[in-house]
Amino acid sequence: MSSQLIALLFEGLLETLVMVGVSGGIGALFGIPLGVILILTDRGGILQNLAINRVLGLIINAARSTPFIILMVAIIPFTRLVAGTSIGTAAAIVPLTIAAIPFIARLVETALREVPSGLIEAADAMGATPLQIVVKVLLPEALPGIVAGLTITFVSLIGYSAMAGAVGGGGLGDIGIRYGYQRFLPEVMLAVVLVLIVFVQGVQSAGDRLVRKLSHR
Amino acid sequence: MIELQNLTKRFDTPSGGVEALRNVSLTINQGEIFGVIGRSGAGKSTLIRVINLLERPTEGKVIVAGRDLTALSAAELRAARRDIGMIFQHFNLLSARTVFDNVALPLELRGESRAAIRAKVEPLLELVGLSDKADRYPAQLSGGQKQRVGIARALATDPKVLLCDEATSALDPETTEQILKLIKDIRDRLNLTVVLITHEMAVVKEIADRVAVMEQGQIIEQGETFDVFTRPQHATTRSFVADLIGFDLPPALQKRLSAQPVGNSHLWRILFTGPHADEPVIAELSRNLGLDLNILHGRIDEIQGRPFGVMVVQARGDEAKLIAAKSYLASKQLTVEELEDVIAIDRAAV
């Protein structure tokens, strides 16, 4: 492997890391509270509000059912507004984040649903406020599930970020498309795929290790 | 300490409303252990959840320590709940917290400092005998140990009332006994008022000062545990205590019973309660009156520290002797029942 290719791959990997890290991070920042709101406002939740719950659910489902490649193109005006451009790594972060938020929200919702209702009842009986129930009971108890969900999100985002490469988003996917596909360099394509496989493996097993460490069940 | 006034709780279900509580009124005194027993679906679970308003009654008042909880604002209710500890059948401990941090939780919720929490939690762990397990996680504990953590957690805010929701139903008999002993100890030491619901009569017998029996959302019988056990009025109560007390004859003997008295032979069920319960009454009867007494079945037990026995005897002798025997037993304040009649009543009630 030439040093040129290594430098290229390294640069691509860094770009992918930035895209996935930033969009996953911001996605979690919005997605986790959304997941909490979904649980709290659901039927039988401690702040039951079915109107809010239905509307949120609808928006999340709509966002999740839009194929990423279409979402990416559809929100280009918004991307320009936020990133100042619609091409490049910074621009790719915007649709990746938009895709990550509802994804994380649903995974967090599922993780929170696994917390036994008896724990909420016990906290309620101790005189906990709804905020205390969320901070002291729901989130800590669901943390292993949330981390597992975030791991899945990051892996999915790595896949999405490769798609972002197709429209000039940078990163490993971009290298694969431009060098491997458009210039007929199968060895570059292979190298990209291998790096992606190792990357995904790394993220997944790091996530799994963290979940094991956090879980005391 | 706790006064429940005309409580009704209706649940709306797709198939119509269900009344889990129907006009229930109950007074529980300061410092007593009050048992509520009933089959599943009798409403006892709803009853205990109404006391700290985990379930809000559709109608009626819940007065704890002189305050009507149903009239409080959300914030006032949260404060009031800190006076009411609760333990659960499935313990409801936080799996992500250590034993220490589980017990600390109610104090954290109240905003106590780390030092104050430590000063409170350590003696509590001592009290429930888990000082050496402070850094373990609940998953590493046995059921009995988990319930001890639950008890320590419930006591962290110095409550006046302890609610026990089927607290021993997931435990084996030996552990159950230890936990009940602990609850009783704590009551004696802290002068707590304890309400416990259970479907196990043995639990009530072991620990409760008074008991209420529930069926279909209503209290069908209540009183001192000793009285309810020895003189159950309601068929349901009778079936609850039957196994423990030995009211009913073993099946083989029951088959031999006849509906009509046979010759001079009578079956008597003698209840040994009161001050003469431990006297050699049977021996005196046969010696002084020359009565033939054949003991068929019997059980002697202690409820709330008072001796209690049931004996079924076949009494043979002429009418005068039998009447003399009955009046002798009455003079000893023992109750005699003619058995055939009793069984006939049981059949009618079922």
Side-chain angles (χ1 to χ4, degrees), chain B residues 293-323:
Chain B
L293 290 173
N294 180 16
I295 298 172
L296 298 175
H297 177 64
R299 189 176 296 196
I300 294 163
D301 208 337
E302 202 182 75
I303 300 169
Q304 293 292 294
R306 291 156 73 182
F308 167 69
V310 181
M311 200 168 277
V312 178
V313 299
Q314 192 175 30
R316 259 193 303 257
D318 60 47
E319 202 63 22
K321 277 183 184 170
L322 292 174
I323 289 169

PDB file of all heavy atoms in Angstrom, chain B residues 293-323:
ATOM      1  N   LEU B 293     -64.583 -39.824  76.240  1.00  0.00           N
ATOM      2  CA  LEU B 293     -64.185 -38.803  75.268  1.00  0.00           C
ATOM      3  C   LEU B 293     -63.114 -39.382  74.366  1.00  0.00           C
ATOM      4  O   LEU B 293     -62.065 -39.809  74.819  1.00  0.00           O
ATOM      5  CB  LEU B 293     -63.651 -37.554  75.976  1.00  0.00           C
ATOM      6  CG  LEU B 293     -64.689 -36.734  76.721  1.00  0.00           C
ATOM      7  CD1 LEU B 293     -64.011 -35.628  77.522  1.00  0.00           C
ATOM      8  CD2 LEU B 293     -65.709 -36.144  75.766  1.00  0.00           C
ATOM      9  N   ASN B 294     -63.437 -39.395  73.080  1.00  0.00           N
ATOM     10  CA  ASN B 294     -62.498 -39.921  72.097  1.00  0.00           C
ATOM     11  C   ASN B 294     -61.971 -38.746  71.269  1.00  0.00           C
ATOM     12  O   ASN B 294     -62.723 -38.114  70.530  1.00  0.00           O
ATOM     13  CB  ASN B 294     -63.228 -40.947  71.209  1.00  0.00           C
ATOM     14  CG  ASN B 294     -62.306 -41.526  70.171  1.00  0.00           C
ATOM     15  OD1 ASN B 294     -61.086 -41.404  70.289  1.00  0.00           O
ATOM     16  ND2 ASN B 294     -62.890 -42.143  69.166  1.00  0.00           N
ATOM     17  N   ILE B 295     -60.692 -38.454  71.436  1.00  0.00           N
ATOM     18  CA  ILE B 295     -60.143 -37.291  70.719  1.00  0.00           C
ATOM     19  C   ILE B 295     -59.845 -37.692  69.279  1.00  0.00           C
ATOM     20  O   ILE B 295     -59.063 -38.595  69.010  1.00  0.00           O
ATOM     21  CB  ILE B 295     -58.863 -36.780  71.400  1.00  0.00           C
ATOM     22  CG1 ILE B 295     -59.188 -36.315  72.832  1.00  0.00           C
ATOM     23  CG2 ILE B 295     -58.250 -35.637  70.603  1.00  0.00           C
ATOM     24  CD1 ILE B 295     -57.978 -35.975  73.656  1.00  0.00           C
ATOM     25  N   LEU B 296     -60.498 -36.999  68.327  1.00  0.00           N
ATOM     26  CA  LEU B 296     -60.355 -37.348  66.913  1.00  0.00           C
ATOM     27  C   LEU B 296     -59.329 -36.469  66.208  1.00  0.00           C
ATOM     28  O   LEU B 296     -58.651 -36.898  65.284  1.00  0.00           O
ATOM     29  CB  LEU B 296     -61.703 -37.191  66.205  1.00  0.00           C
ATOM     30  CG  LEU B 296     -62.825 -38.089  66.718  1.00  0.00           C
ATOM     31  CD1 LEU B 296     -64.120 -37.748  66.009  1.00  0.00           C
ATOM     32  CD2 LEU B 296     -62.480 -39.560  66.512  1.00  0.00           C
ATOM     33  N   HIS B 297     -59.247 -35.265  66.668  1.00  0.00           N
ATOM     34  CA  HIS B 297     -58.442 -34.316  65.899  1.00  0.00           C
ATOM     35  C   HIS B 297     -58.179 -33.118  66.798  1.00  0.00           C
ATOM     36  O   HIS B 297     -59.037 -32.736  67.581  1.00  0.00           O
ATOM     37  CB  HIS B 297     -59.233 -33.865  64.662  1.00  0.00           C
ATOM     38  CG  HIS B 297     -58.541 -32.841  63.832  1.00  0.00           C
ATOM     39  ND1 HIS B 297     -57.369 -33.080  63.196  1.00  0.00           N
ATOM     40  CD2 HIS B 297     -58.867 -31.547  63.549  1.00  0.00           C
ATOM     41  CE1 HIS B 297     -57.001 -31.998  62.521  1.00  0.00           C
ATOM     42  NE2 HIS B 297     -57.886 -31.051  62.734  1.00  0.00           N
ATOM     43  N   GLY B 298     -57.008 -32.569  66.694  1.00  0.00           N
ATOM     44  CA  GLY B 298     -56.760 -31.409  67.537  1.00  0.00           C
ATOM     45  C   GLY B 298     -55.531 -30.646  67.115  1.00  0.00           C
ATOM     46  O   GLY B 298     -54.674 -31.161  66.394  1.00  0.00           O
ATOM     47  N   ARG B 299     -55.493 -29.398  67.515  1.00  0.00           N
ATOM     48  CA  ARG B 299     -54.314 -28.590  67.231  1.00  0.00           C
ATOM     49  C   ARG B 299     -54.184 -27.513  68.311  1.00  0.00           C
ATOM     50  O   ARG B 299     -55.172 -26.925  68.736  1.00  0.00           O
ATOM     51  CB  ARG B 299     -54.436 -27.926  65.858  1.00  0.00           C
ATOM     52  CG  ARG B 299     -53.138 -27.266  65.452  1.00  0.00           C
ATOM     53  CD  ARG B 299     -53.210 -26.688  64.071  1.00  0.00           C
ATOM     54  NE  ARG B 299     -53.412 -27.722  63.055  1.00  0.00           N
ATOM     55  CZ  ARG B 299     -53.203 -27.498  61.756  1.00  0.00           C
ATOM     56  NH1 ARG B 299     -52.798 -26.319  61.351  1.00  0.00           N
ATOM     57  NH2 ARG B 299     -53.412 -28.442  60.876  1.00  0.00           N
ATOM     58  N   ILE B 300     -52.976 -27.332  68.753  1.00  0.00           N
ATOM     59  CA  ILE B 300     -52.751 -26.310  69.777  1.00  0.00           C
ATOM     60  C   ILE B 300     -51.725 -25.337  69.234  1.00  0.00           C
ATOM     61  O   ILE B 300     -50.743 -25.736  68.611  1.00  0.00           O
ATOM     62  CB  ILE B 300     -52.263 -26.951  71.084  1.00  0.00           C
ATOM     63  CG1 ILE B 300     -53.393 -27.822  71.655  1.00  0.00           C
ATOM     64  CG2 ILE B 300     -51.868 -25.885  72.095  1.00  0.00           C
ATOM     65  CD1 ILE B 300     -52.921 -28.801  72.679  1.00  0.00           C
ATOM     66  N   ASP B 301     -51.987 -24.070  69.418  1.00  0.00           N
ATOM     67  CA  ASP B 301     -51.145 -23.065  68.784  1.00  0.00           C
ATOM     68  C   ASP B 301     -51.126 -21.822  69.655  1.00  0.00           C
ATOM     69  O   ASP B 301     -51.768 -21.771  70.711  1.00  0.00           O
ATOM     70  CB  ASP B 301     -51.716 -22.748  67.393  1.00  0.00           C
ATOM     71  CG  ASP B 301     -50.631 -22.288  66.452  1.00  0.00           C
ATOM     72  OD1 ASP B 301     -49.599 -21.811  66.931  1.00  0.00           O
ATOM     73  OD2 ASP B 301     -50.834 -22.405  65.230  1.00  0.00           O
ATOM     74  N   GLU B 302     -50.418 -20.846  69.184  1.00  0.00           N
ATOM     75  CA  GLU B 302     -50.326 -19.587  69.915  1.00  0.00           C
ATOM     76  C   GLU B 302     -50.523 -18.477  68.916  1.00  0.00           C
ATOM     77  O   GLU B 302     -49.887 -18.445  67.862  1.00  0.00           O
ATOM     78  CB  GLU B 302     -48.927 -19.488  70.528  1.00  0.00           C
ATOM     79  CG  GLU B 302     -48.846 -18.556  71.705  1.00  0.00           C
ATOM     80  CD  GLU B 302     -47.430 -18.481  72.232  1.00  0.00           C
ATOM     81  OE1 GLU B 302     -46.598 -17.823  71.596  1.00  0.00           O
ATOM     82  OE2 GLU B 302     -47.164 -19.086  73.277  1.00  0.00           O
ATOM     83  N   ILE B 303     -51.420 -17.562  69.199  1.00  0.00           N
ATOM     84  CA  ILE B 303     -51.629 -16.416  68.323  1.00  0.00           C
ATOM     85  C   ILE B 303     -51.430 -15.167  69.155  1.00  0.00           C
ATOM     86  O   ILE B 303     -52.064 -15.004  70.197  1.00  0.00           O
ATOM     87  CB  ILE B 303     -53.056 -16.432  67.725  1.00  0.00           C
ATOM     88  CG1 ILE B 303     -53.255 -17.705  66.909  1.00  0.00           C
ATOM     89  CG2 ILE B 303     -53.282 -15.191  66.865  1.00  0.00           C
ATOM     90  CD1 ILE B 303     -54.679 -17.944  66.511  1.00  0.00           C
ATOM     91  N   GLN B 304     -50.539 -14.298  68.697  1.00  0.00           N
ATOM     92  CA  GLN B 304     -50.247 -13.075  69.443  1.00  0.00           C
ATOM     93  C   GLN B 304     -49.887 -13.407  70.895  1.00  0.00           C
ATOM     94  O   GLN B 304     -50.306 -12.725  71.826  1.00  0.00           O
ATOM     95  CB  GLN B 304     -51.466 -12.134  69.414  1.00  0.00           C
ATOM     96  CG  GLN B 304     -51.752 -11.587  68.036  1.00  0.00           C
ATOM     97  CD  GLN B 304     -50.656 -10.636  67.600  1.00  0.00           C
ATOM     98  OE1 GLN B 304     -50.480  -9.580  68.175  1.00  0.00           O
ATOM     99  NE2 GLN B 304     -49.892 -11.016  66.605  1.00  0.00           N
ATOM    100  N   GLY B 305     -49.170 -14.508  71.080  1.00  0.00           N
ATOM    101  CA  GLY B 305     -48.694 -14.873  72.411  1.00  0.00           C
ATOM    102  C   GLY B 305     -49.769 -15.469  73.315  1.00  0.00           C
ATOM    103  O   GLY B 305     -49.526 -15.716  74.485  1.00  0.00           O
ATOM    104  N   ARG B 306     -50.968 -15.684  72.768  1.00  0.00           N
ATOM    105  CA  ARG B 306     -52.034 -16.279  73.587  1.00  0.00           C
ATOM    106  C   ARG B 306     -52.284 -17.700  73.123  1.00  0.00           C
ATOM    107  O   ARG B 306     -52.422 -17.969  71.937  1.00  0.00           O
ATOM    108  CB  ARG B 306     -53.318 -15.443  73.453  1.00  0.00           C
ATOM    109  CG  ARG B 306     -53.177 -14.068  74.120  1.00  0.00           C
ATOM    110  CD  ARG B 306     -54.136 -13.081  73.520  1.00  0.00           C
ATOM    111  NE  ARG B 306     -55.515 -13.320  73.917  1.00  0.00           N
ATOM    112  CZ  ARG B 306     -56.540 -12.588  73.464  1.00  0.00           C
ATOM    113  NH1 ARG B 306     -56.332 -11.613  72.606  1.00  0.00           N
ATOM    114  NH2 ARG B 306     -57.763 -12.861  73.865  1.00  0.00           N
ATOM    115  N   PRO B 307     -52.357 -18.642  74.096  1.00  0.00           N
ATOM    116  CA  PRO B 307     -52.577 -20.038  73.707  1.00  0.00           C
ATOM    117  C   PRO B 307     -53.968 -20.223  73.118  1.00  0.00           C
ATOM    118  O   PRO B 307     -54.923 -19.572  73.527  1.00  0.00           O
ATOM    119  CB  PRO B 307     -52.430 -20.797  75.028  1.00  0.00           C
ATOM    120  CG  PRO B 307     -52.741 -19.801  76.086  1.00  0.00           C
ATOM    121  CD  PRO B 307     -52.293 -18.477  75.549  1.00  0.00           C
ATOM    122  N   PHE B 308     -54.016 -21.110  72.152  1.00  0.00           N
ATOM    123  CA  PHE B 308     -55.290 -21.359  71.490  1.00  0.00           C
ATOM    124  C   PHE B 308     -55.281 -22.795  70.973  1.00  0.00           C
ATOM    125  O   PHE B 308     -54.272 -23.244  70.433  1.00  0.00           O
ATOM    126  CB  PHE B 308     -55.440 -20.383  70.323  1.00  0.00           C
ATOM    127  CG  PHE B 308     -56.560 -20.750  69.388  1.00  0.00           C
ATOM    128  CD1 PHE B 308     -57.878 -20.650  69.812  1.00  0.00           C
ATOM    129  CD2 PHE B 308     -56.299 -21.223  68.118  1.00  0.00           C
ATOM    130  CE1 PHE B 308     -58.904 -21.003  68.966  1.00  0.00           C
ATOM    131  CE2 PHE B 308     -57.341 -21.570  67.264  1.00  0.00           C
ATOM    132  CZ  PHE B 308     -58.638 -21.455  67.686  1.00  0.00           C
ATOM    133  N   GLY B 309     -56.383 -23.511  71.204  1.00  0.00           N
ATOM    134  CA  GLY B 309     -56.424 -24.877  70.714  1.00  0.00           C
ATOM    135  C   GLY B 309     -57.799 -25.219  70.170  1.00  0.00           C
ATOM    136  O   GLY B 309     -58.803 -24.612  70.535  1.00  0.00           O
ATOM    137  N   VAL B 310     -57.808 -26.167  69.277  1.00  0.00           N
ATOM    138  CA  VAL B 310     -59.069 -26.706  68.752  1.00  0.00           C
ATOM    139  C   VAL B 310     -59.010 -28.212  68.935  1.00  0.00           C
ATOM    140  O   VAL B 310     -57.984 -28.821  68.632  1.00  0.00           O
ATOM    141  CB  VAL B 310     -59.234 -26.398  67.252  1.00  0.00           C
ATOM    142  CG1 VAL B 310     -60.554 -26.948  66.757  1.00  0.00           C
ATOM    143  CG2 VAL B 310     -59.135 -24.922  66.989  1.00  0.00           C
ATOM    144  N   MET B 311     -60.094 -28.772  69.413  1.00  0.00           N
ATOM    145  CA  MET B 311     -60.106 -30.217  69.565  1.00  0.00           C
ATOM    146  C   MET B 311     -61.475 -30.741  69.144  1.00  0.00           C
ATOM    147  O   MET B 311     -62.498 -30.153  69.492  1.00  0.00           O
ATOM    148  CB  MET B 311     -59.823 -30.563  71.022  1.00  0.00           C
ATOM    149  CG  MET B 311     -59.334 -31.968  71.223  1.00  0.00           C
ATOM    150  SD  MET B 311     -58.714 -32.144  72.895  1.00  0.00           S
ATOM    151  CE  MET B 311     -57.075 -31.497  72.740  1.00  0.00           C
ATOM    152  N   VAL B 312     -61.441 -31.783  68.349  1.00  0.00           N
ATOM    153  CA  VAL B 312     -62.712 -32.420  67.995  1.00  0.00           C
ATOM    154  C   VAL B 312     -62.777 -33.744  68.755  1.00  0.00           C
ATOM    155  O   VAL B 312     -61.872 -34.578  68.641  1.00  0.00           O
ATOM    156  CB  VAL B 312     -62.817 -32.669  66.484  1.00  0.00           C
ATOM    157  CG1 VAL B 312     -64.131 -33.389  66.159  1.00  0.00           C
ATOM    158  CG2 VAL B 312     -62.733 -31.350  65.740  1.00  0.00           C
ATOM    159  N   VAL B 313     -63.819 -33.888  69.567  1.00  0.00           N
ATOM    160  CA  VAL B 313     -63.930 -35.107  70.370  1.00  0.00           C
ATOM    161  C   VAL B 313     -65.276 -35.766  70.120  1.00  0.00           C
ATOM    162  O   VAL B 313     -66.263 -35.108  69.780  1.00  0.00           O
ATOM    163  CB  VAL B 313     -63.790 -34.807  71.884  1.00  0.00           C
ATOM    164  CG1 VAL B 313     -62.434 -34.201  72.190  1.00  0.00           C
ATOM    165  CG2 VAL B 313     -64.906 -33.910  72.372  1.00  0.00           C
ATOM    166  N   GLN B 314     -65.265 -37.059  70.250  1.00  0.00           N
ATOM    167  CA  GLN B 314     -66.514 -37.819  70.215  1.00  0.00           C
ATOM    168  C   GLN B 314     -66.904 -38.051  71.666  1.00  0.00           C
ATOM    169  O   GLN B 314     -66.124 -38.643  72.420  1.00  0.00           O
ATOM    170  CB  GLN B 314     -66.283 -39.136  69.500  1.00  0.00           C
ATOM    171  CG  GLN B 314     -67.562 -39.856  69.154  1.00  0.00           C
ATOM    172  CD  GLN B 314     -67.245 -41.090  68.345  1.00  0.00           C
ATOM    173  OE1 GLN B 314     -66.180 -41.685  68.518  1.00  0.00           O
ATOM    174  NE2 GLN B 314     -68.144 -41.486  67.478  1.00  0.00           N
ATOM    175  N   ALA B 315     -68.071 -37.543  72.050  1.00  0.00           N
ATOM    176  CA  ALA B 315     -68.513 -37.664  73.438  1.00  0.00           C
ATOM    177  C   ALA B 315     -69.644 -38.687  73.509  1.00  0.00           C
ATOM    178  O   ALA B 315     -70.620 -38.587  72.768  1.00  0.00           O
ATOM    179  CB  ALA B 315     -68.977 -36.313  73.958  1.00  0.00           C
ATOM    180  N   ARG B 316     -69.467 -39.671  74.374  1.00  0.00           N
ATOM    181  CA  ARG B 316     -70.512 -40.693  74.537  1.00  0.00           C
ATOM    182  C   ARG B 316     -70.961 -40.723  75.981  1.00  0.00           C
ATOM    183  O   ARG B 316     -70.129 -40.746  76.894  1.00  0.00           O
ATOM    184  CB  ARG B 316     -69.996 -42.069  74.132  1.00  0.00           C
ATOM    185  CG  ARG B 316     -70.447 -42.506  72.747  1.00  0.00           C
ATOM    186  CD  ARG B 316     -70.195 -43.973  72.519  1.00  0.00           C
ATOM    187  NE  ARG B 316     -68.786 -44.303  72.715  1.00  0.00           N
ATOM    188  CZ  ARG B 316     -67.927 -44.511  71.707  1.00  0.00           C
ATOM    189  NH1 ARG B 316     -68.335 -44.441  70.462  1.00  0.00           N
ATOM    190  NH2 ARG B 316     -66.680 -44.799  71.965  1.00  0.00           N
ATOM    191  N   GLY B 317     -72.267 -40.739  76.179  1.00  0.00           N
ATOM    192  CA  GLY B 317     -72.783 -40.792  77.548  1.00  0.00           C
ATOM    193  C   GLY B 317     -74.242 -40.390  77.523  1.00  0.00           C
ATOM    194  O   GLY B 317     -74.762 -39.969  76.485  1.00  0.00           O
ATOM    195  N   ASP B 318     -74.934 -40.536  78.649  1.00  0.00           N
ATOM    196  CA  ASP B 318     -76.356 -40.169  78.616  1.00  0.00           C
ATOM    197  C   ASP B 318     -76.507 -38.650  78.630  1.00  0.00           C
ATOM    198  O   ASP B 318     -75.575 -37.899  78.902  1.00  0.00           O
ATOM    199  CB  ASP B 318     -77.140 -40.855  79.737  1.00  0.00           C
ATOM    200  CG  ASP B 318     -76.621 -40.494  81.111  1.00  0.00           C
ATOM    201  OD1 ASP B 318     -76.401 -39.280  81.337  1.00  0.00           O
ATOM    202  OD2 ASP B 318     -76.384 -41.406  81.929  1.00  0.00           O
ATOM    203  N   GLU B 319     -77.759 -38.250  78.305  1.00  0.00           N
ATOM    204  CA  GLU B 319     -78.061 -36.829  78.074  1.00  0.00           C
ATOM    205  C   GLU B 319     -77.639 -35.946  79.244  1.00  0.00           C
ATOM    206  O   GLU B 319     -77.039 -34.895  79.048  1.00  0.00           O
ATOM    207  CB  GLU B 319     -79.586 -36.705  77.835  1.00  0.00           C
ATOM    208  CG  GLU B 319     -79.984 -35.460  77.079  1.00  0.00           C
ATOM    209  CD  GLU B 319     -79.397 -35.430  75.646  1.00  0.00           C
ATOM    210  OE1 GLU B 319     -79.037 -36.520  75.092  1.00  0.00           O
ATOM    211  OE2 GLU B 319     -79.281 -34.343  75.105  1.00  0.00           O
ATOM    212  N   ALA B 320     -77.914 -36.413  80.470  1.00  0.00           N
ATOM    213  CA  ALA B 320     -77.614 -35.614  81.657  1.00  0.00           C
ATOM    214  C   ALA B 320     -76.115 -35.349  81.763  1.00  0.00           C
ATOM    215  O   ALA B 320     -75.681 -34.232  82.043  1.00  0.00           O
ATOM    216  CB  ALA B 320     -78.109 -36.331  82.915  1.00  0.00           C
ATOM    217  N   LYS B 321     -75.320 -36.402  81.493  1.00  0.00           N
ATOM    218  CA  LYS B 321     -73.869 -36.249  81.571  1.00  0.00           C
ATOM    219  C   LYS B 321     -73.367 -35.262  80.528  1.00  0.00           C
ATOM    220  O   LYS B 321     -72.478 -34.447  80.791  1.00  0.00           O
ATOM    221  CB  LYS B 321     -73.183 -37.610  81.351  1.00  0.00           C
ATOM    222  CG  LYS B 321     -73.098 -38.466  82.597  1.00  0.00           C
ATOM    223  CD  LYS B 321     -72.350 -39.738  82.275  1.00  0.00           C
ATOM    224  CE  LYS B 321     -72.322 -40.657  83.478  1.00  0.00           C
ATOM    225  NZ  LYS B 321     -71.818 -41.992  83.113  1.00  0.00           N
ATOM    226  N   LEU B 322     -73.970 -35.366  79.317  1.00  0.00           N
ATOM    227  CA  LEU B 322     -73.529 -34.476  78.246  1.00  0.00           C
ATOM    228  C   LEU B 322     -73.824 -33.016  78.586  1.00  0.00           C
ATOM    229  O   LEU B 322     -73.006 -32.135  78.362  1.00  0.00           O
ATOM    230  CB  LEU B 322     -74.202 -34.866  76.922  1.00  0.00           C
ATOM    231  CG  LEU B 322     -73.756 -36.213  76.345  1.00  0.00           C
ATOM    232  CD1 LEU B 322     -74.589 -36.576  75.124  1.00  0.00           C
ATOM    233  CD2 LEU B 322     -72.280 -36.160  75.970  1.00  0.00           C
ATOM    234  N   ILE B 323     -75.027 -32.805  79.153  1.00  0.00           N
ATOM    235  CA  ILE B 323     -75.389 -31.425  79.519  1.00  0.00           C
ATOM    236  C   ILE B 323     -74.464 -30.916  80.623  1.00  0.00           C
ATOM    237  O   ILE B 323     -73.975 -29.780  80.566  1.00  0.00           O
ATOM    238  CB  ILE B 323     -76.874 -31.367  79.973  1.00  0.00           C
ATOM    239  CG1 ILE B 323     -77.767 -31.579  78.739  1.00  0.00           C
ATOM    240  CG2 ILE B 323     -77.181 -30.027  80.642  1.00  0.00           C
ATOM    241  CD1 ILE B 323     -79.224 -31.800  79.070  1.00  0.00           C
TER     242      ILE B 323
END
